[in-house]
Amino acid sequence: MGQPKRAPSRSAGGGEPLSRSLLLPLALFLALALLLYGNTLRNGFVNDDKPLVANNALVNDASRLGDIFTSGYWSTRQDSVPELYRPLTVLSLALNRRLTGAAPSGFHLVNLLLHGCVSFFVFRIALSIGTSRAAAWAAGLIFAVHPVHTEAVAPVVGRSELLAALFFLAALKLHHAIMHGKGGASFAFGAASCYLAASLSKEGALIFPAIALLTDIAFPPARAVSRRARAAPFALYALAALLVLGIRYEVLGAVARSDIRPLDNPLVALPPGAALSTALVALGGTLKLLVYPLRLSADYAGTEIRPAAGLLDPRVVAVLALIFILVAAAALAWTRLRSASWGIAFLLIAILPVSNLFFLIGTIFGERLLYLPSAGFCVAAGALWGEWRGRSKMTALAAAVLVLLAGSARTVARNSIWQDDGTFALATSRDAPSSPKAQFNWGVFLEEHSDARAEAAYREAARLAPDWSDPRYNLAGILAASGRLTEAIEEYRAALAIRPDDARAVLNLGYALYRAGRHPEAVELYQRFLKERGESAPVLNSLGANLLAMARRDEAVAAFQRAVQLAPGEPGYRQNLEQALKTSEETPTPAP
């Protein structure tokens, strides 16, 4: 007699074989991600992709792998920038570089595959909390095609959102299984490990225990699971959170440390009441995008979100009313359609860390921040659609097809703005006309391509952000290059009035004065800078050139000598010194 035949493998729910319940849906979600985001494989490194990926030694230098866990997220040069700590994100990029090479396509491919996996987990979690299979598919598909996710998937730097969401949802799936008597200790350690990985991918994932508790309340653990067994996972989550916070403190010097600029998050410059009110307005815009993602933007700085006048601002009142309606709807649906209630609660809890309501973050709003919270929205939407389907199947199916096709088309079209720097800069300047950063970046691109429109872009950026020196500095450079020295000098002075310690502006203003023959002004400028800021070889060299032009030879020689002492490896300074030493009335004056 032969060996007895084995029964086919079954899913955790005891229904379909694993190949159908897991592998086929996963394959379908991966295929859908490739279909929707396949056009990103042609995209290059754009915007933040360059410092964080393309030019980041931690990603590209194999000998620096060990430094990843001891460096801040923005450690793109020699020194660590103590703002964020996402070592697993950086590690994934470094491994991506080893496996697929330096080309952008390899990084984009991994991003779209991760998005397919996250969509699959949204489907699986919806299924595990009791929605019908059709409703779970609706949740996963809505998540997969939602256009608001393009900012997390299309640029390579969205990797932190993708990894954090993937590990977060994997931890939640394991946690829910534990609470229903499956997996035991191995699942508990697995859930805690996934939570740790999510938090080391992006700090917002630290809220996971709150979502796990929500899930336990909404879908109570099985009676066979003891109180001790229920508490054990939370003890592991606490240890994981303490570990993350401890490492952050050791590496960054603080648990939460960030240099927030008004240019990135205008709320930091507002009084507390106005900041809270405006944050509520931003939250309202966030919720609107989940339902109606037609107008998307990669930049919400400046006055793209107009500051609120206070809690009685009509927009604030509308947002508070919307939140009340959502909470009331979740409460009313608690008995009949609990998965929808859970999804709404998931959304509201997950969005809190990035809402600026309790503490300010580095940006007023970014569509990428919706990636994880939108999982709750998609589960709720899927559950509601499932109820509709039960009453009017054909109408519900037709509506679903329409929504999915519209979302897919918007997503595919939106991906193209990350094609290259020019496309991104133009699209962002149009999408965010009141953002000084968007107008400035457009100006930089135009200037790099010798386009005369750069001047207008810089002037607009300076108008939108009068306390930002960079637009005026760049504008002055354009004016100086075109021979409009008087205007250039005026703009350089304006830039220095905003940022007096900017050595670049001092040197370039001095050179513009030199070219205009206004040598006494240049000398006064350089001498004041040296007195206030200390010695600088470039400034001393330029000072010497202007002194020599004024026939103050001995002072010029002294300035050149000191420049050579400070920077002995700079041949230009030595040449200027030698020329000054043999200067006569016929000898040309050295250039600054």
Side-chain angles (χ1 to χ4, degrees), residues 305-526:
I305 299 174
R306 189 164 45 87
L311 291 176
L312 296 180
D313 186 303
R315 295 171 298 160
V316 176
V317 173
V319 172
L320 291 174
L322 175 60
I323 294 172
F324 175 80
I325 291 170
L326 285 174
V327 173
L332 289 173
W334 185 260
T335 302
R336 181 171 179 178
L337 194 59
R338 189 162 298 185
S339 55
S341 297
W342 177 87
I344 293 171
F346 183 113
L347 166 64
L348 295 177
I349 293 172
I351 211 168
L352 284 178
V354 294
S355 66
N356 285 292
L357 291 175
F358 297 103
F359 52 85
L360 296 182
I361 61 173
T363 181
I364 187 171
F365 173 62
E367 289 161 12
R368 64 191 179 277
L369 305 179
L370 281 173
Y371 193 74
L372 177 61
S374 69
F377 168 82
C378 293
V379 170
L384 291 170
W385 178 85
E387 283 290 295
W388 183 18
R389 178 177 178 271
R391 299 180 182 184
S392 181
K393 185 174 183 179
M394 295 309 298
T395 305
L397 286 173
V401 170
L402 183 62
V403 167
L404 294 176
L405 286 177
S408 298
R410 184 75 179 102
T411 292
V412 172
R414 182 67 181 165
N415 291 336
S416 63
I417 78 158
W418 283 277
Q419 181 177 343
D420 52 48
D421 287 334
T423 306
F424 179 79
L426 175 60
T428 308
S429 69
R430 290 176 176 174
D431 294 338
S434 62
S435 167
K437 288 176 61 180
Q439 304 311 314
F440 176 78
N441 290 336
W442 176 229
V444 170
F445 175 80
L446 293 172
E447 182 183 1
E448 289 174 347
H449 291 79
S450 304
D451 192 313
R453 292 176 294 170
E455 179 181 340
Y458 286 142
R459 288 192 184 279
E460 179 63 8
R463 184 189 70 81
L464 292 168
D467 295 330
W468 187 22
S469 66
D470 287 5
R472 293 190 175 278
Y473 174 82
N474 283 21
L475 173 60
I478 290 178
L479 296 171
S482 62
R484 296 154 67 183
L485 293 176
T486 301
E487 294 175 77
I489 289 168
E490 185 177 325
E491 292 299 332
Y492 278 131
R493 289 197 187 279
L496 276 172
I498 298 168
R499 189 178 170 189
D501 62 342
D502 190 347
R504 304 172 309 156
V506 170
L507 286 167
N508 283 285
L509 170 58
Y511 184 55
L513 291 168
Y514 178 90
R515 289 175 59 195
R518 294 160 63 172
H519 303 298
E521 293 178 62
V523 168
E524 180 186 0
L525 170 74
Y526 289 139

Side-chain angles (χ1 to χ4, degrees), residues 9 24 29-31 52 79 130 177 205 207 230 257 285 290 369 374 497 518 525 553 576 579 584-585:
S9 250
L24 181 58
F29 279 113
L30 290 174
L52 281 169
D79 298 325
I207 62 156
R230 298 177 192 181
R257 181 180 177 185
L290 289 173
L369 305 179
S374 69
R518 294 160 63 172
L525 170 74
R553 178 181 176 279
N576 284 350
Q579 190 171 343
S584 65
E585 292 183 0

Side-chain angles (χ1 to χ4, degrees), residues 44-61 73-76 89-90 92-98 100-108 111 155-160:
F45 290 122
V46 174
N47 201 34
D48 287 345
D49 287 348
K50 291 184 175 178
L52 281 169
V53 184
N55 303 322
N56 190 348
L58 294 177
V59 171
N60 296 289
D61 186 350
Y73 182 56
W74 276 94
S75 299
T76 55
T89 296
V90 180
S92 81
L93 295 170
L95 295 176
N96 204 153
R97 170 71 172 80
R98 305 294 173 274
T100 64
S105 57
F107 293 91
H108 288 300
N111 269 26
V156 178
V157 291
R159 181 71 59 85
S160 61

Side-chain angles (χ1 to χ4, degrees), residues 85 87-88 163-175 178 186-213 232-245 248 353 372:
Y85 183 66
L88 278 192
L163 285 176
L166 179 64
F167 288 124
F168 189 104
L169 296 178
L172 187 59
K173 186 72 176 69
L174 290 169
H175 176 85
I178 295 165
S186 61
F187 273 36
F189 281 105
S193 298
C194 287
Y195 171 43
L196 178 65
S199 302
L200 292 176
S201 298
K202 190 180 179 187
E203 44 285 320
L206 284 166
I207 62 156
F208 171 77
I211 298 294
L213 182 60
F234 286 97
L236 292 174
Y237 304 153
L239 288 175
L242 289 173
L243 179 60
V244 171
L245 296 176
R248 283 178 64 86
L372 177 61

